[in-house]
């Protein structure tokens, strides 16, 4: 996959080097274009060393007639050879040029000549971002079908606090790779995904929870959104940024997750329950902090609602995918949950393997399906596991419909 990376002139330009590296680590060939303003912040040599390619800095690279001729069609070559044009940071000036079709340097000329997918990561001062002129240009570019990665909020180099920060380079790289790979085979689906742990209060200070980081559920949400689905992500407390384009519903307890799932069930076509929900809670936690007065103490716990089982009873012809976190008998436990919870697929993972499951970047799962098929998957990144789950889910739905 080939990515043209246009770098605008802003303080965040230095982060474009990390973006280039993250893209290359994910298998992309990267060709970098620096605007004249970007060159004030970063040197072409940095990008040339990272990408092992010449960096483009000017529409007219040389003054000889022959060179001018060849370099003036260079923007056509770059437009034709690359699958995606990523501009990061996209400055207010660059977006204004793109929105109005101005072409007075290499990047703006490339933009007009480029017919592939465009992704823009704006970064600028908060007032500049909020200005009606910038917002109107962003709306114009979004209406053209370009992907706009909204800036993060936080303290900016100019001293203000608010929206304007370039998002994390790895997130930008992943969104760009998604765009380049985009399969739109989940378009028309509304996929409800649960992720992360729940926290069950013991008193106002303490809670019972588990080691789920939310990475598996968030990877599912990102993969589904990249493949065109509307995604409703119901998430317990995690330290992750929500993937672009998903509708995030934050919850804390199992009861809140239950309520949110039931609220959105009717509009969903596929439900994926990756969350690690507490099975027990204190039904009425005390309002005051429990004091350390007893030599021993015990907590009385009541069961939480089994959300998966209830969805299984109410799902109709929706596709229901449950997870099973097990320490042994993976396939047997997967089959048992498939039957007792009326799932169509159970994603069973052994959670006592080093480097997979809770908190890890990778997962090693076995898919147990209603058709009787059992598909053990290799150890893969959670994102790759997520894509394979959806690949199997689409095939499974066809197979289930064929047998009805
Ligand atoms: O979040 P990560 O750090 O990335 O880790 C990923 C993971 C290990 C949490 C994930 O891959 C996983 O296995 N999720 C399910 C964890 C779990 O709670 O498994 P379980 O076997 O206890 O529950 C079985 C299923 O019932 C799950 O789909 C769960 O969401 C659901 N459930 C459980 C209890 C409950 N009260 N309601 C439910 O719906």
């Amino acid at each position: 996959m080939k990515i043209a990376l246009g770098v605008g002139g802003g303080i965040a330009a230095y982060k474009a080097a990390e973006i280039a590296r993250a893209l290359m680590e994910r298998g992309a060939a990267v060709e970098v274009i620096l605007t004249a303003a970007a060159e004030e912040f970063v040197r072409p040599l940095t990008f040339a060393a990272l990408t092992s390619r010449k960096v483009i800095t000017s529409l007219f690279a040389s003054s000889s007639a022959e060179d001018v001729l060849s370099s003036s069609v260079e923007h056509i070559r770059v437009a034709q050879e690359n699958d995606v044009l990523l501009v990061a940071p996209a400055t207010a000036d660059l977006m204004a040029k793109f929105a109005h079709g101005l072409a007075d340097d290499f990047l703006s000329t490339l933009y007009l000549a480029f017919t592939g997918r465009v992704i823009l990561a704006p970064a600028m001062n908060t007032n500049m971002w909020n200005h009606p002129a910038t917002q109107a240009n962003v709306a114009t570019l979004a209406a053209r079908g370009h992907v706009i990665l909204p800036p993060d909020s936080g303290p900016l180099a100019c001293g203000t606090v608010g929206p304007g920060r370039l998002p994390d380079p790895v997130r930008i790289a992943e969104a760009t790779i998604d765009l380049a790979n985009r399969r739109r085979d989940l378009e028309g689906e509304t996929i409800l995904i649960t992720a992360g742990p729940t926290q069950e209060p013991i008193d106002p200070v303490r809670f019972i929870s588990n080691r789920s980081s939310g990475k598996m559920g968030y990877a599912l949400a990102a993969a589904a959104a990249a493949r065109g689905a509307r995604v409703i992500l119901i998430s317990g407390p995690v330290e992750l940024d929500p993937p672009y384009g998903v509708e995030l519903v934050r919850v804390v307890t199992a009861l809140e997750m239950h309520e949110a799932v039931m609220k959105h069930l009717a509009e969903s076509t596929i439900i994926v329950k990756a969350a690690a929900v507490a099975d027990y809670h204190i039904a009425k936690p005390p309002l005051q902090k429990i004091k350390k007065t007893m030599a021993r103490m015990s907590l009385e716990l009541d069961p939480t609602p089994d959300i998966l089982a209830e969805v299984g009873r109410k799902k109709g012809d929706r596709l229901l995918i449950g997870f099973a976190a097990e320490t042994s008998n993976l396939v047997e436990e997967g089959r048992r949950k498939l039957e007792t919870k009326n799932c169509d697929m159970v994603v069973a993972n052994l959670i006592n393997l080093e480097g997979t499951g809770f908190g890890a970047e990778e997962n090693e799962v076995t898919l147990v399906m209603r058709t009787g098929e059992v598909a053990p998957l290799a150890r893969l990144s959670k994102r790759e596991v997520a894509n394979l789950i959806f690949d199997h889910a689409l095939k499974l739905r066809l197979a289930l419909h064929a047998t009805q």
Side-chain angles (χ1 to χ4, degrees):
M1 146 199 351
K2 294 181 176 171
I3 313 285
L5 168 59
V7 183
I11 185 70
Y14 76 96
K15 292 190 188 167
E18 284 176 55
I19 297 172
R21 196 171 49 195
L23 285 167
M24 293 178 68
E25 281 169 0
R26 286 158 181 77
V30 181
E31 180 153 28
V32 176
I33 303 103
L34 297 184
T35 64
E39 262 195 278
E40 299 291 329
F41 291 92
V42 278
R43 308 304 303 155
L45 191 60
T46 308
F47 291 95
L50 276 173
T51 62
S52 308
R53 294 181 75 164
K54 183 171 73 90
V55 171
I56 300 168
T57 54
S58 161
L59 196 51
F60 302 106
S62 160
S63 52
S64 89
E66 202 176 273
D67 286 354
V68 167
L69 196 64
S70 68
S71 66
S72 67
V73 291
E74 179 86 332
H75 61 283
I76 306 295
R77 179 199 59 78
V78 177
Q80 286 170 346
E81 281 186 4
N82 286 285
D83 304 310
V84 172
L85 170 60
L86 162 65
V87 182
T91 58
D93 175 63
L94 274 175
M95 289 194 295
K97 278 186 186 164
F98 296 166
H100 296 282
L102 301 182
D104 63 353
D105 66 0
F106 194 97
L107 187 53
S108 52
T109 310
L110 168 64
Y111 170 78
L112 285 187
F114 191 74
T115 54
R117 293 161 174 164
V118 176
I119 180 163
L120 304 170
M124 66 198 73
N125 161 270
T126 301
N127 293 342
M128 291 172 72
W129 170 249
N130 287 337
H131 196 286
T134 305
Q135 288 303 310
N137 291 333
V138 169
T140 301
L141 295 168
R144 272 177 212 162
H146 302 339
V147 175
I148 315 282
L149 306 179
D152 285 348
S153 279
L156 303 178
C158 54
T160 52
V161 178
R165 282 160 67 114
L166 192 74
D168 173 55
V170 170
R171 291 179 73 207
I172 294 176
E174 285 184 344
T176 306
I177 301 277
D178 280 345
L179 192 67
N181 287 332
R182 187 167 284 182
R183 292 174 272 177
R184 304 295 293 177
D185 55 356
L186 293 175
E187 224 153 25
E189 306 282 353
T190 297
I191 306 189
L192 191 162
I193 297 168
T194 67
T198 62
Q199 288 178 355
E200 310 301 331
I202 296 172
D203 67 11
V205 180
R206 304 154 176 121
F207 57 79
I208 301 169
S209 190
N210 61 66
R211 293 168 44 225
S212 170
S213 63
K215 287 177 189 168
M216 189 66 240
Y218 277 55
L220 284 155
R227 289 166 69 163
R230 174 185 168 215
V231 177
I232 304 168
L233 174 62
I234 299 175
S235 173
V238 297
E239 292 183 6
L240 299 175
D241 291 318
Y244 292 109
V246 311
E247 297 164 40
L248 179 68
V249 181
R250 289 185 203 277
V251 298
V252 177
T253 64
L255 281 183
E256 289 171 11
M257 188 170 277
H258 172 258
E259 192 185 326
V261 169
M262 293 309 149
K263 183 173 161 199
H264 292 285
L265 182 58
E267 56 196 306
S268 311
T269 55
I270 300 177
I271 302 106
V272 191
K273 293 229 58 264
V277 188
D279 290 318
Y280 293 90
H281 69 160
I282 298 176
K284 285 205 175 111
L287 298 176
Q288 305 298 322
K289 182 182 171 193
I290 300 171
K291 299 275 187 230
K292 193 175 140 191
T293 51
M294 297 160 272
R296 299 193 66 181
M297 74 171 292
S298 54
L299 297 171
E300 195 167 296
L301 303 176
D302 290 304
T304 56
D306 188 327
I307 309 169
L308 184 61
E310 189 173 332
V311 174
R313 288 193 295 276
K314 296 179 174 168
K315 78 184 189 72
D317 60 3
R318 294 175 187 84
L319 204 68
L320 177 58
I321 304 174
F323 268 69
E326 305 297 339
T327 46
S328 60
N329 302 331
L330 203 53
V331 175
E332 292 73 11
E333 283 305 318
R335 282 211 180 98
R336 192 181 62 75
K337 282 198 167 113
L338 190 91
E339 290 309 325
T340 55
K341 318 271 178 168
N342 195 27
C343 295
D344 299 297
M345 181 197 294
V346 167
V347 181
N349 41 192
L350 279 179
I351 42 130
N352 47 355
L353 289 180
E354 184 72 26
T356 73
F358 286 105
E361 296 304 321
E362 295 182 323
N363 213 358
E364 192 174 323
V365 307
T366 296
L367 309 183
V368 180
M369 284 166 273
R370 176 151 296 286
T371 47
E373 193 191 342
V374 173
L377 305 184
R379 183 177 295 202
L380 295 165
S381 74
K382 285 182 175 170
R383 184 57 173 271
E384 288 168 296
V385 170
N387 270 317
L388 286 169
I389 290 171
F390 288 122
D391 291 347
H392 280 274
L394 291 178
K395 277 194 240 150
L396 175 64
R397 184 157 60 188
L398 285 178
L400 292 174
H401 282 174
T403 56
Q404 274 169 9

